[in-house]
Amino acid sequence: MSKDTKHLRPRDLGRDVAVLSPTDDLKPLPSTFDASLEPEFKEFKDEWAETYCASLDGFVAIDTLKRPETKEEEEEFVRKFLSGLEKLFQDSNKNAVQPLALNMEFCAKCNTCSEACHIYEESNGDEIYRPSFRVDVLRRIYKKHFTTAGKMLGGFVGADIELNWETIARLAELSYRCNLCRRCAQACPMGLDNGLAAREIRKIFSQEMGIAPKAIHEKGTELQLKVGSTTGMTTPAFVDTAEFIEEDIEERTGRSFKFPMDKEGADVLLIHNAGEFIAWPDNPAAFAILLDEAGVDWTLSSEMCAYDGVNYGAWYDDIQAKKIAAKQFEVAKKLGVKRIVMGECGHAHKAIAVSADRMFAAEDKVPVESFLPLMLTLVREGRLKFDPSKNNFPVTLHDPCNYVRQMGIVQPQREIIRACTTDFREMTPHGVDNYCCGGGSGFAIMNNQNFSDFRNHVSARKKLEQIINAFGEDFENPDVLKYVCAPCSNCKGTIRELLKDYKITAKYNVQYSGLVELMVNALVSMEKPFFEFLEE
Amino acid sequence: MASVASIFALLAVIGFLILSAAKFAKYSKFNQHSRFDLYPVPKEGNGRGEYGGSYMEEDLWWEKPRSINHVAELVDMGKEMFFIRKLFMNQPSLWVPSMLFHGGIYFMMLFSVLLLIAAFVASPVLETITTVVGVIGFCCALLGCLLLLIRRLTDASLAAYTTPIEYFNLILIAAVLITGIISWLSAANVFEVARSIVTFNFAELPGIVVLHLILLGIMMLYIPASKMGHYAGKFFTFHSVLWNNEPNLPGNAVNSAVKASNAAGATVKWSAPHASPAPAPAPEPIAEEA
């Protein structure tokens, strides 16, 4: 079956088959990994196919995209889709119409983007995962309905895709088979951005049709705008959690600290991904220890959206992205801080520093920077003193796409790691040429139906391969502790799942965490190890 | 017929320039958009352009002067424009025919300029140089064009995406090149034809030359209207999108443009429930007096 689906054409998207392109031919992992440890796929439930669109590749990403019950519902679905597509090219989308229109008009169809895509590569070349496939489908629909040439010349200019629910739903699902890492755009000789175009497809469904995965819309941006955080944590719960972390870390490490809260006029408003407080409390604690030790004038905020720096709108919806960024700037303005510093969350970095940069007048914003240059300044100025021998194990670094490839922050993290570890090993490739963790664009938190299988087996496969290879012969030796530094909450979440599901921590002794934890563990002033795995 | 074809070819060149300018103007209208920086951005100074770094690697970057390396940007542009570097790096097997084709076209453009000069300046040396440039241009462009056509027809992964009009584009260019070569080799002195056209002193021309001039004119008018006008698109994809990382700071041009754009608003609205502004809270009911 898989060989048949290696040569699908864009106009085959509507083909009348139960599953257009089953994911049944994945690239083998490196031989140093015991292949028998690869987890099984979840058993497919027929009700998924009856309710949602599982006919693309057998996975379901969008749990709000339900099959129509009547012909009228299907026709309304098609009409709304076309309405949304048209709006992508009108002033309703003026913040993205130029790159999208350029893509519609100038793609050379050279497929150079394909080899840059980790999902295409790891699926052993499944045609539907080519970065150009989904965009060419969009282009053909756009031409057919909205260009003179398409209306007059039809198939001669590629305007040849008939629309029905199945075709449109498969396109919607296909827009969630891309991590939006934009590695394909780096390779494009025309400078076209198929990652950006995939996000534009998501916008049609969300902004016009109200269709997006619950994890990123209903339980994501909507929840954040309602209670303050996608974790569901309200302000009182956040304050309680912060106090609990202070006590817990002091008890474990002997290091006492306080999270400064809502301090007006501070130099730095530090905004974390709130998931860190729940899933990885060591991370905000490590930030607090470092900033206190260096004497930085800083604060957290307990206000709505400002104790949670995430902005899932960055993945699928400009309207939601703008609402959340507006709240975050509003809080910073109210506190009168000099700058916003983003903690270890890649998409939160890009959302507020880059994507939101031109949403508001400069006077309504507060300057934003990454935690990395600030930390590097503290290291260079000698305000943080390390004993690298405390981190005397191999360390490899994952580069989050959002602030490396998409913000150009490459060297600070490397200089810091070299200052606080003894055995730093780069992944291949790395820096701006890195591969996505596989959890980008929402995949890290989308666990509905069987979608986590797509993430853990397909989109994150390349990262797993890179981690295995980064440690060379040491990978197989459980006596050698190995550390994956993942300075981004979503990347960390994805890598956590990989290391657990593939039993890599258990069998090969590969640990993971962020960058600030490594820094604190190496602080001369720390009397006990900061990492729990070192205590053991 | 010869005079009609000659005038059409001349007008087509002018049309090419006007339509190309219109294409630039069309995309210029959309220049104010969100940031979509993608690194490496070659203009980033302090050596950062080389490894993909940016000014955002600096603590308090907005308080520091930006270092911009225009030379590095020009060099990168040149590599992309003249040598299609990204294709070479990422798909060398397709780069060979593409480079032959585009290189041939650059030679053809130079050939046209030299031919124009030679029409007014009689110089055997100039004619020799023009001839050499023309021969290289015709050969490379035609060979590249045919190789690209064959590759598209025989490579299933390319054929799956190629539409009939995209084959037509290559066939049209090949037809112009082939009729040009035949004209030059068998029917006409290229310098005399050029001189007769640009001096409006139209002489009778063999049928093949007339056909070549008509096809050439059609191609010149068609290129800017088709995706072959990507010379315009490529300027925007890099300069306006991927390399446009100018921050929005008080007093700068970006800030002015953002304010103007926000003030203008949008005439078309999205329809999802969350896209509409939340309704104003209902007024508190006025308590009825007991």
Side-chain angles (χ1 to χ4, degrees), chain A residues 7-10 83-84 87-88 90-99 101-102 105-112 115 127 130 132-133 136 140 153 155-158 181-182 185-193 196 203-204 206-210 217 222 317 319-320 322-323 338-339 353-355 357-363 365 367-370 373-374 377 404-412 432, chain B residues 23 26-40 48 51-64 80 84 86-87 90-91 94 152 156-166 168 224-234 236-238 240-242 244-251 254-255 258-262 264-276:
Chain A
H7 298 294
L8 288 169
R9 298 159 301 174
S83 165
K87 287 178 187 179
L88 284 185
Q90 297 175 324
D91 69 355
S92 40
N93 194 37
K94 57 186 170 184
N95 57 334
V97 69
Q98 188 186 59
L102 287 163
E105 189 166 356
F106 294 120
C107 177
K109 318 273 182 76
C110 64
N111 286 345
T112 307
E115 303 304 323
E127 197 66 36
R130 268 189 207 279
S132 51
F133 184 93
D136 202 47
R140 285 165 191 259
L153 301 172
F156 186 71
V157 295
C181 78
R182 301 175 68 207
Q186 276 182 326
C188 178
M190 293 289 175
L192 300 173
D193 193 334
L196 184 149
K203 279 165 57 180
I204 299 174
S206 180
Q207 295 181 190
E208 186 67 8
M209 306 167 80
H217 184 68
E222 287 288 281
D317 191 301
I319 299 161
Q320 298 293 81
K322 189 170 184 176
K323 287 182 199 169
K338 187 176 174 186
R339 52 180 157 164
V354 176
S355 304
D357 188 40
R358 296 178 184 170
M359 285 179 184
F360 314 99
E363 293 78 5
K365 299 189 301 152
V368 182
E369 70 177 21
S370 167
L374 170 64
T377 299
V404 179
R405 179 164 34 252
Q406 304 189 42
M407 285 179 69
I409 302 175
V410 184
Q411 289 299 346
V432 292
Chain B
K23 180 105 8 182
K26 173 187 164 187
Y27 281 101
S28 297
K29 280 194 300 188
F30 306 135
N31 263 351
Q32 182 55 41
H33 52 66
S34 295
R35 278 175 58 183
F36 302 106
D37 323 1
L38 193 70
Y39 296 84
R48 291 193 171 112
Y51 65 79
S54 79
Y55 62 91
M56 287 176 280
E57 288 189 327
E58 292 269 357
D59 188 21
L60 297 166
W61 57 263
W62 56 93
E63 293 181 355
K64 297 175 182 170
E80 199 52 54
I84 326 173
K86 282 179 187 280
L87 192 60
N90 296 297
Q91 199 176 181
L94 191 60
R152 281 210 173 269
S157 68
L158 294 183
Y161 295 82
T162 309
T163 59
I165 198 169
E166 286 154 348
F168 169 81
S226 72
K227 82 170 192 182
M228 290 189 289
H230 59 247
Y231 47 86
K234 202 164 172 173
F236 291 101
T237 56
F238 285 99
S240 176
V241 182
L242 303 181
N244 178 355
N245 61 358
E246 193 62 31
N248 173 13
L249 295 172
V254 174
N255 195 26
V258 167
K259 287 177 183 172
S261 176
N262 287 348
T267 56
V268 178
K269 308 290 182 195
W270 294 94
S271 302
H274 67 271
S276 306

Side-chain angles (χ1 to χ4, degrees), chain A residues 1-7 21-29 38 41 57 59 118-127 129 454 457-458 461:
Chain A
M1 173 58 88
S2 52
K3 283 190 179 169
D4 295 339
T5 60
K6 299 293 183 198
H7 298 294
S21 178
T23 306
D24 53 4
D25 177 30
L26 298 172
K27 194 174 159 187
L29 289 164
E38 177 155 2
F41 284 86
D57 51 6
F59 299 106
H118 55 290
I119 295 176
Y120 177 72
E121 181 187 340
E122 295 301 315
S123 69
N124 263 340
D126 274 0
E127 197 66 36
Y129 300 140
F454 179 78
H457 285 277
V458 187
R461 199 173 191 85

Side-chain angles (χ1 to χ4, degrees), chain B residues 3-264:
Chain B
S3 58
V4 172
S6 300
I7 291 169
F8 175 62
L10 266 180
L11 290 176
V13 172
I14 296 166
F16 170 83
L17 295 172
I18 293 170
L19 291 171
S20 297
K23 180 105 8 182
F24 274 100
K26 173 187 164 187
Y27 281 101
S28 297
K29 280 194 300 188
F30 306 135
N31 263 351
Q32 182 55 41
H33 52 66
S34 295
R35 278 175 58 183
F36 302 106
D37 323 1
L38 193 70
Y39 296 84
V41 172
K43 70 181 175 189
E44 284 296 323
N46 297 328
R48 291 193 171 112
E50 288 168 27
Y51 65 79
S54 79
Y55 62 91
M56 287 176 280
E57 288 189 327
E58 292 269 357
D59 188 21
L60 297 166
W61 57 263
W62 56 93
E63 293 181 355
K64 297 175 182 170
R66 271 192 76 185
S67 171
I68 293 182
N69 187 342
H70 292 294
V71 174
E73 184 179 25
L74 283 171
V75 168
D76 209 87
M77 268 172 59
K79 285 180 187 169
E80 199 52 54
M81 280 171 65
F82 296 112
F83 301 107
I84 326 173
R85 186 178 58 104
K86 282 179 187 280
L87 192 60
F88 175 73
M89 302 292 286
N90 296 297
Q91 199 176 181
S93 69
L94 191 60
W95 177 82
V96 174
S98 187
M99 188 63 237
L100 275 172
F101 179 59
H102 287 89
I105 287 172
Y106 296 147
F107 272 91
M108 294 298 291
M109 288 161 69
L110 179 60
F111 170 67
S112 304
V113 172
L114 293 173
L115 209 50
L116 182 67
I117 298 169
F120 296 104
V121 181
S123 160
V125 175
L126 181 59
E127 288 196 2
T128 305
I129 293 171
T130 307
T131 303
V132 170
V133 169
V135 168
I136 294 171
F138 270 115
C139 292
C140 289
L142 182 60
L143 182 60
C145 185
L146 294 176
L147 288 174
L148 283 174
L149 191 58
I150 292 165
R151 176 76 183 264
R152 281 210 173 269
L153 287 163
T154 57
D155 182 333
S157 68
L158 294 183
Y161 295 82
T162 309
T163 59
I165 198 169
E166 286 154 348
Y167 292 116
F168 169 81
N169 293 346
L170 286 170
I171 290 167
L172 174 64
I173 293 175
V176 171
L177 292 166
I178 289 167
T179 55
I181 290 170
I182 296 172
S183 299
W184 195 356
L185 288 178
S186 65
N189 180 314
V190 67
F191 296 99
E192 286 175 11
V193 172
R195 198 168 293 124
S196 75
I197 293 174
V198 298
T199 57
F200 299 99
N201 183 17
F202 305 118
E204 275 307 307
L205 295 171
I208 186 71
V209 180
V210 171
L211 177 63
H212 171 66
L213 290 174
I214 290 171
L215 286 173
L216 178 67
I218 291 170
M219 185 188 78
M220 294 302 282
L221 291 171
Y222 175 65
I223 283 176
S226 72
K227 82 170 192 182
M228 290 189 289
H230 59 247
Y231 47 86
K234 202 164 172 173
F235 173 84
F236 291 101
T237 56
F238 285 99
H239 290 273
S240 176
V241 182
L242 303 181
W243 295 353
N244 178 355
N245 61 358
E246 193 62 31
N248 173 13
L249 295 172
N252 74 2
V254 174
N255 195 26
S256 303
V258 167
K259 287 177 183 172
S261 176
N262 287 348

Side-chain angles (χ1 to χ4, degrees), chain A residues 48 79 94 125 319 416 498 510:
Chain A
W48 294 341
R79 189 196 64 74
K94 57 186 170 184
I319 299 161
I416 292 169
L498 286 177
V510 178

Side-chain angles (χ1 to χ4, degrees), chain A residues 276-347:
Chain A
E276 299 281 357
F277 287 91
I278 295 169
W280 300 283
D282 286 10
N283 183 272
F287 266 99
I289 292 169
L290 293 168
L291 295 177
D292 280 355
E293 174 142 331
V296 174
D297 175 20
W298 71 289
T299 187
L300 297 177
S301 168
S302 65
E303 291 277 327
M304 287 264 296
C305 298
Y307 58 87
D308 193 352
V310 305
N311 189 338
Y312 295 176
W315 300 328
Y316 76 108
D317 191 301
D318 290 343
I319 299 161
Q320 298 293 81
K322 189 170 184 176
K323 287 182 199 169
I324 291 164
K327 291 234 178 230
Q328 290 165 340
F329 281 128
E330 186 186 313
V331 172
K333 277 276 179 194
K334 196 170 123 192
L335 279 176
V337 296
K338 187 176 174 186
R339 52 180 157 164
I340 293 172
V341 171
M342 299 309 292
E344 292 192 2
C345 181
H347 90 272

Side-chain angles (χ1 to χ4, degrees), chain A residues 150-222:
Chain A
K151 286 174 186 169
M152 291 174 65
L153 301 172
F156 186 71
V157 295
D160 55 3
I161 292 187
E162 295 300 324
L163 291 182
N164 55 26
W165 188 89
E166 204 72 51
T167 306
I168 297 172
R170 282 175 178 167
L171 179 62
E173 281 288 331
L174 205 41
S175 70
Y176 287 91
R177 299 296 185 277
C178 166
N179 283 121
L180 310 185
C181 78
R182 301 175 68 207
R183 201 170 186 272
C184 55
Q186 276 182 326
C188 178
M190 293 289 175
L192 300 173
D193 193 334
N194 284 330
L196 184 149
R199 183 175 180 276
E200 294 298 298
I201 298 173
R202 295 182 183 189
K203 279 165 57 180
I204 299 174
F205 291 93
S206 180
Q207 295 181 190
E208 186 67 8
M209 306 167 80
I211 295 169
K214 279 184 192 167
I216 63 173
H217 184 68
E218 185 183 320
K219 296 175 184 169
T221 56
E222 287 288 281

